[in-house]
Structure formats: C-alpha cells, structure tokens
Amino acid sequence: MSSKGHILVVEDEEEILELVTYNLGKEGYRVDSVTTGEDALRQVREIHPDLILLDLMLPGVDGLEVCKVIKNDEETADTAIIMLTARSEEADIVTGLELGADDYITKPFSRRVLLARVKAVLRRGKGEEPQDENEVLRVHDIVINPGRHEVLVGGETISLTLTEFRVLQFLANRPGWVFTRSQIVEAVRGDGYPVTDRSVDVQIVGLRKKLGSAGRYVETVRGVGYRFVEST
Ligand code: CA
C-alpha cells in the first residue's frame, strides 16, 4: 500500500483516463482505474481507495448515482470523492457536493490543478478535521472568538450580525472546501434565524463589506456556492 494514497479513477474518456492515471502514478500515488459506474461501485468495495476521481457523465450508472451510493453506504462513506465535470454541469456539481462529494475539477484541467486538488482533499481526509466550534479560530489575519462572539481583522474588532458570524465561522473553519448555498443554510440555521438559499448571498455581501480587505478570503464559486480561501 502506497503511503501517498490509493486513488480510483472513474472515467470513460480514454485520453483523460490515461492522462490522469499517468500523472498520479508518476507522483507516487497508487492508481486503479475503471470506465463505468458499475465497475466503480464494485471496485470501491473491493479495494477501499482513499479517493475517487469520478467523471459525472458515464454511460449506464452515472457519476452522481455512484457518488450517492458510495456516500450512503457506511462501509464506503469515508471515501473522498473529487468529481470530474464539464464546465456546463454546474447544477450537477451542486447536486454532487450536496450528495457528499468533497470537491470537483472542471475539464479541461492542468496537471498542476489536478495534483493540487488531489493533495488537498487527501490531506483534509487525514485528520485535518474542522476544529471545535467553540474554540478561537485564527486564519489569515482573522481571529474568530466564538465565546465572545467577536471577530478581529488585523487586530481591529468588527461587528457582525449573528448570521454573518455563523456564516464566517462555518466557512473559515473549513478553508478550501466549496459549499453550496443549501449547505451553508443547513449549517448556520438555528431556531429563530431563518436563512434561505437566496439570503445566503445577502449575508455574504454584508460579511465581505464588513471584513474589508479580508473580504477577499470569502470567494464566490460561480454557479456553485462559496469557499473560504486556504492559507498558504
Ligand atoms: Ca464521460
């Protein structure tokens, strides 16, 4: 077993499949590949990969269905999934993320993007859990203090509404992850704090404005949702 990680590539386009398996193999990952959804489901149960690179447009059982089955099966639910998608598949990307996929890469992609995403997702899978929501969180030049319900940017206190605070805390606690509006609503909604998909956009606009220069860390992922930029 390779220490770098075991990856299953699911892709019916020969050229992409070859390119991906070649580059991952060269990087030291253990790589297996299949070309159909049916084979993907069989292989996942057999080899228990750390990560699946999953093309969405597959003949027969498509990628979203594969994702759903894997994430709903206790035995395989921990397997990380990066979807390989076409730029036009934004609705499917949203669905996939909500089904539990960890990230996505749009085609065509470079070797550099492929390796960076794979590395990031595998790293997150290996114990980089989001920290306790009651602990002080420091990311970039932002300090989020849940106990005092206080946010400092570059040492200056900024005043947020409770919902803005929760949205920031949720995103900043998981830098690099893309979240759909529904996922953000799900995470920040509490009794008495009605938040809707559309109002997430309003919250983000307000949040960015108040964060000032640090507002750039809250990134819009067009057609999909939002992501907090990772520290480098
Ligand atoms: Ca395909």
Side-chain angles (χ1 to χ4, degrees):
M1 177 98 196
S2 157
S3 58
K4 266 198 120 177
H6 189 176
I7 303 173
L8 177 66
V9 184
V10 187
E11 173 63 80
D12 62 322
E13 283 162 75
E14 192 102 349
E15 230 172 273
I16 300 177
L17 182 66
E18 268 176 28
L19 194 80
V20 170
T21 51
Y22 171 78
N23 280 307
L24 292 174
K26 207 171 132 203
E27 207 61 24
Y29 295 102
R30 181 174 163 199
V31 188
D32 279 300
S33 64
V34 291
T35 55
T36 69
E38 287 86 343
D39 285 345
L41 291 172
R42 244 193 311 273
Q43 278 286 82
V44 167
R45 296 201 177 96
E46 206 161 293
I47 67 176
H48 298 284
D50 302 301
L51 167 67
I52 305 168
L53 285 177
L54 180 61
D55 178 31
L56 289 191
M57 296 272 272
L58 294 165
V61 178
D62 70 17
L64 286 179
E65 187 60 32
V66 171
C67 181
K68 193 165 146 192
V69 172
I70 288 170
K71 291 295 182 181
N72 281 318
D73 182 344
E74 226 177 87
E75 208 188 304
T76 55
D78 287 346
T79 317
I81 295 180
I82 298 178
M83 301 177 281
L84 303 177
T85 71
R87 211 163 286 280
S88 56
E89 292 171 340
E90 281 172 354
D92 288 341
I93 294 169
V94 170
T95 305
L97 290 171
E98 283 165 7
L99 287 172
D102 298 84
D103 205 345
Y104 67 96
I105 305 175
T106 46
K107 299 175 196 175
F109 48 82
S110 67
R111 181 179 171 276
R112 188 182 58 78
V113 165
L114 170 72
L115 296 178
R117 295 290 172 81
V118 164
K119 202 173 153 194
V121 166
L122 284 174
R123 189 184 60 221
R124 290 179 206 151
K126 282 192 185 129
E128 262 194 35
E129 289 295 305
Q131 71 177 52
D132 188 318
E133 306 246 318
N134 297 313
E135 279 175 38
V136 174
L137 176 66
R138 290 183 175 80
V139 59
H140 301 293
D141 56 346
I142 305 175
V143 180
I144 301 169
N145 188 329
R148 296 163 66 173
H149 186 252
E150 185 181 72
V151 175
L152 301 174
V153 177
E156 300 268 319
T157 306
I158 61 161
S159 175
L160 299 178
T161 65
L162 185 51
T163 307
E164 288 166 348
F165 184 86
R166 286 181 169 197
V167 170
L168 174 65
Q169 188 188 18
F170 175 68
L171 293 174
N173 204 7
R174 297 154 186 87
W177 292 93
V178 183
F179 292 101
T180 68
R181 290 170 177 80
S182 303
Q183 288 175 317
I184 296 170
V185 169
E186 204 54 45
V188 307
R189 187 167 45 194
D191 294 335
Y193 305 106
V195 186
T196 62
D197 275 25
R198 260 186 55 206
S199 74
V200 167
D201 296 337
V202 177
Q203 297 296 335
I204 296 273
V205 169
L207 180 58
R208 277 200 191 117
K209 206 163 159 187
K210 291 180 183 175
L211 287 174
S213 64
R216 68 181 186 278
Y217 300 131
V218 182
E219 252 185 6
T220 300
V221 183
R222 205 166 52 86
V224 177
Y226 296 98
R227 160 171 56 205
F228 196 84
V229 177
E230 270 177 293
S231 316
T232 43

